[in-house]
Amino acid sequence: MLGLVGLYDPPRPEVAAAVRRCHEAGLRVHIVTGDNGATAAAVAREVGIGLPRLQVVAQSESIGDHELDALLAPSDAEVVFARSSPETKLKVADALRAHGQIVAMTGDGVNDAPALHRAHIGVAMGLSGTDVAREASTMVLTDDNFATIVTAIESGRRVYDNVRKFIVYIFAHLTPEVVPFLVFALSAGTVPLPLTVLQILAIDLGTETLPALALGRERAEPGTMSRPPRPSSQGVISRDMLIRSWGYLGTVSAVLVMGAFFYVLWRAGWHPGDPTGAGSPLHHAYVTATTATFAGIVTCQVGTAFAARTDHAALRDIGLFTNPLLLAGIAFELVFTAALVYAPPLQGLFGTAALPLDVVALIATFPVIVWGTDELRRWVRRTHRHTTP
């Protein structure tokens, strides 16, 4: 819950639309004003404050603490505090905070400074506000427009979502990077190491950086302002994120890349325990297999990047080509990978070998499989939410 406190006189046309978006996002808007209660209530109804229920406190200075707590308890009601003083604003902020709600409070005068400071987000008027109010606030509205606050809320949700997308993308690659070493260790060396250290460095420092940064510029998903506010106790990294990144995206990627590794080796006639070191008949097949693992992780990154673009909506809802920075990052990582696989000087440095066409065709399907698996998972979750009473 978030309480937005303030009276805007005269109300601007866009304020009604902004209030409606607040209600869709699960936010309540309260008014604290020194004006007459009937006047304040009329302004509130004009812009949509008080739907479905509006309560008016005609003499706010005389209201007791218990009555104030009851009025501001979580509910569908919005309150107009008329004939109030600066102390009333402070009491309202304290009461909302006591109920565990996140409070954004507006103000412009010197006497509003204590309440602006007490609120989680003090919002001062940049045009009509005093210097004291601006210094006591967290945010300053340069246009004195209530709709700007709602735009800031949407931008904050978008940034928060994009940070989570960045984390999902980065975490998803830990599983396919760790599993090859686990397979090597658990097999006591009968399965050769599917990935080299330099290849991991090429992934972590070369191929995944630009797409990860591009996810931070992702547009807001459809329905961002239709979701209720997240609990203030919820951290950026959640259990569902870890399950999605490590359990779904990471596991699918690990299975695919290990499948490509074993496919190359078995096609060459390898059996567990066969020597693959330098000078052995299977050494070239082994180098090709590790290259397939490396290239497979990169192509899985492409699928993960598209999957991480959305957390709630389907990819078609935001558009495949709406993030040109991500497309440029993916193009770079594919060119970088091709250089490491096919350029002779880099082959010797990173221990890679040119991949045959059938292996290239195999790993080219990985992005679709990784993205499709996650898209199916999110579709099932959306369907379940819509069908659950």
Side-chain angles (χ1 to χ4, degrees):
M1 283 287 185
L2 182 148
L4 292 167
V5 188
L7 179 65
Y8 299 84
D9 186 24
R12 303 182 183 184
E14 62 268 27
V15 172
V19 171
R20 184 169 59 253
R21 294 181 69 198
C22 283
H23 291 161
E24 292 173 354
L27 313 179
R28 289 197 298 165
V29 184
H30 304 303
I31 292 178
V32 184
T33 177
D35 290 345
N36 177 271
T39 303
V43 172
R45 292 189 178 95
E46 183 179 347
V47 297
I49 297 175
L51 296 177
R53 187 158 56 97
L54 180 67
Q55 293 182 292
V56 180
V57 181
Q59 298 295 329
S60 301
E61 292 189 34
S62 61
I63 190 171
D65 292 341
H66 293 294
E67 187 179 355
L68 182 63
D69 286 339
L71 279 172
L72 297 177
S75 68
D76 61 353
E78 292 174 325
V79 185
V80 172
F81 295 94
R83 298 298 186 192
S84 63
S85 65
E87 289 75 14
T88 306
K89 270 193 171 184
L90 191 59
K91 291 169 63 177
V92 169
D94 286 337
L96 288 170
R97 291 180 65 114
H99 285 295
Q101 300 182 39
I102 303 300
V103 184
M105 180 170 290
T106 64
D108 54 11
V110 174
N111 293 333
D112 293 328
L116 294 174
H117 182 73
R118 185 68 58 87
H120 293 96
I121 307 170
V123 183
M125 302 297 108
L127 296 177
S128 59
T130 62
D131 291 339
V132 174
R134 287 194 289 266
E135 291 176 3
S137 299
T138 307
M139 184 171 103
V140 177
L141 294 183
T142 57
D143 56 1
D144 288 11
N145 191 349
F146 174 80
T148 305
I149 300 177
V150 183
T151 302
I153 293 172
E154 183 177 17
S155 298
R157 290 189 175 189
R158 180 182 65 83
V159 170
Y160 178 82
D161 286 346
N162 287 351
V163 170
R164 290 165 62 90
K165 293 171 185 178
F166 174 94
I167 294 173
V168 166
Y169 176 79
I170 295 296
F171 278 17
H173 306 142
L174 295 179
T175 304
E177 290 180 4
V178 170
V179 165
F181 289 90
L182 289 178
V183 171
F184 171 74
L186 295 176
S187 67
T190 57
V191 175
L193 190 62
L195 195 65
T196 68
V197 174
L198 282 179
Q199 289 168 357
I200 288 181
L201 289 176
I203 293 170
D204 292 342
L205 302 180
T207 64
E208 76 176 6
T209 303
L210 292 182
L213 294 175
L215 286 173
R217 300 294 301 273
E218 195 66 51
R219 297 181 181 181
E221 291 186 43
T224 296
M225 289 297 285
S226 299
R227 302 197 304 263
R230 63 180 178 87
S232 58
S233 59
Q234 177 181 316
V236 176
I237 300 176
S238 65
R239 177 176 173 271
D240 286 343
M241 283 179 58
L242 297 180
I243 292 176
R244 182 188 182 193
S245 57
W246 292 340
Y248 285 94
L249 294 169
T251 299
V252 171
S253 299
V255 171
L256 291 175
V257 299
M258 290 306 299
F261 174 75
F262 286 119
Y263 168 76
V264 174
L265 284 181
W266 283 332
R267 188 185 60 172
W270 171 85
H271 296 88
D274 289 350
T276 57
S280 65
L282 291 173
H283 179 65
H284 180 72
Y286 167 68
V287 174
T288 304
T290 60
T291 305
T293 304
F294 163 69
I297 291 178
V298 173
T299 55
C300 286
Q301 284 180 331
V302 176
T304 301
F306 281 107
R309 291 187 63 193
T310 59
D311 187 28
H312 304 277
L315 181 60
R316 66 176 179 273
D317 294 333
I318 64 172
L320 186 63
F321 305 107
T322 53
N323 190 339
L325 291 177
L326 179 62
L327 298 178
I330 290 174
F332 169 80
E333 71 173 335
L334 293 178
V335 171
F336 180 77
T337 301
L340 265 61
V341 172
Y342 293 103
L346 296 177
Q347 286 178 340
L349 178 62
F350 288 91
T352 58
L355 295 175
L357 288 178
D358 61 328
V359 178
V360 173
L362 175 64
I363 65 176
T365 64
F366 290 179
V368 178
I369 296 174
V370 172
W371 165 79
T373 301
D374 187 71
E375 188 80 3
L376 178 62
R377 181 191 68 87
R378 284 182 283 115
W379 176 81
V380 170
R381 294 187 64 181
R382 290 195 302 270
T383 304
H384 178 72
R385 282 199 300 266
H386 293 157
T387 56
T388 301

